[in-house]
Amino acid sequence: MPPLAYFVRHGQTNWNAEGRLQGQADTELNRLGRRQAERNGRRLSELIASPADFDFVASPMLRTRETMELARAAMGLDPVAYRMDPRLVELNFGEWQGLTFAELERRAPGAERERAFDKWDFCPPGPQAESYQMLLERVRPFFEELAAPTVCVTHGGVIRTLFRLVENTPKAVAASLDIPQDRVLKLQDGRLRWL
């Protein structure tokens, strides 16, 4: 059984607000995203009595690092005393990265419908692009190696794979889960719960 862990999605970026496929583009938080990160930090401080007992780890992308540092500051902790794990970076959208679905549809009519047919296993075009299943295989070792209570700041796609790994959420459901940026996800006793 994995240890107690809290997962936080990075706060909002302008690309999130515009509906752009962000993937591994290194975007920064916007004003709302910074407020979400601080709020999640305050919530974590209510949940965690002894932060020194926890491992703090983030995706190395700018938006997740900003979120972690703002959350840790809101907890009264050294903002930069955490580690990064490259396995936690977001799904790579390949040639679609940076596009809205409207822009994508103009470039490649029918592409969104094709993806929706099997969203979990669909891989966009491009040599580095990933499906959710490929992302799951990349992040699985990170989840399996959790050995101490952990606070993890990562991305929506990574959290979707966590639902598949922990609760065996059906592929079609996991691929379309809404992953909020202003809530904390608790993993305890093999169950996931939004707080």
Side-chain angles (χ1 to χ4, degrees):
M1 190 72 67
L4 171 66
Y6 296 103
F7 294 87
V8 173
R9 183 182 176 195
H10 63 81
Q12 188 186 76
T13 68
N14 285 340
W15 278 24
N16 287 140
E18 295 165 8
R20 295 193 178 279
L21 293 165
Q22 201 157 213
Q24 293 182 8
D26 217 6
T27 55
E28 62 185 13
L29 301 182
N30 62 22
R31 181 177 298 143
L32 174 58
R34 290 189 291 275
R35 287 198 308 265
Q36 290 169 332
E38 290 165 352
R39 179 195 176 281
N40 282 331
R42 289 190 298 274
R43 183 69 176 114
L44 287 166
S45 68
E46 296 167 359
L47 296 165
I48 299 172
S50 301
D53 296 339
F54 278 72
D55 182 23
F56 285 77
V57 59
S59 157
M61 302 195 77
L62 177 59
R63 60 191 181 267
T64 41
R65 294 192 332 263
E66 282 186 302
T67 300
M68 177 65 89
E69 290 167 19
L70 288 166
R72 284 183 59 84
M75 295 176 75
L77 303 173
D78 178 351
V80 296
Y82 65 94
R83 67 185 181 91
M84 291 177 278
D85 192 312
R87 295 174 293 186
L88 294 171
V89 300
E90 181 60 294
L91 179 82
N92 190 313
F93 280 107
E95 295 172 10
W96 291 9
Q97 214 153 258
L99 300 175
T100 65
F101 278 109
E103 291 167 345
L104 174 63
E105 202 58 28
R106 285 194 294 275
R107 284 189 185 188
E112 185 177 4
R113 186 176 62 251
E114 183 183 350
R115 178 177 185 248
F117 181 73
D118 184 7
K119 192 174 176 182
W120 187 265
D121 290 303
F122 180 84
C123 187
Q128 304 298 317
E130 296 173 294
S131 67
Y132 280 113
Q133 184 61 38
M134 294 163 72
L135 174 64
L136 181 147
E137 297 305 330
R138 170 161 53 83
V139 299
R140 181 195 305 267
F142 170 82
F143 294 134
E144 290 176 346
E145 292 164 15
L146 287 177
T150 300
V151 171
C152 176
V153 177
T154 188
H155 305 269
V158 173
I159 293 173
R160 288 183 184 100
T161 69
L162 182 62
F163 275 91
R164 187 100 178 94
L165 286 167
V166 172
E167 297 195 339
N168 200 27
T169 302
K171 290 179 179 183
V173 175
S176 298
L177 285 172
D178 179 40
I179 308 297
Q181 293 170 302
D182 60 352
R183 293 178 69 187
V184 174
L185 180 66
K186 182 179 185 178
L187 169 61
Q188 186 174 35
D189 300 326
R191 300 293 299 169
L192 293 164
R193 183 166 61 98
W194 288 107
L195 305 176

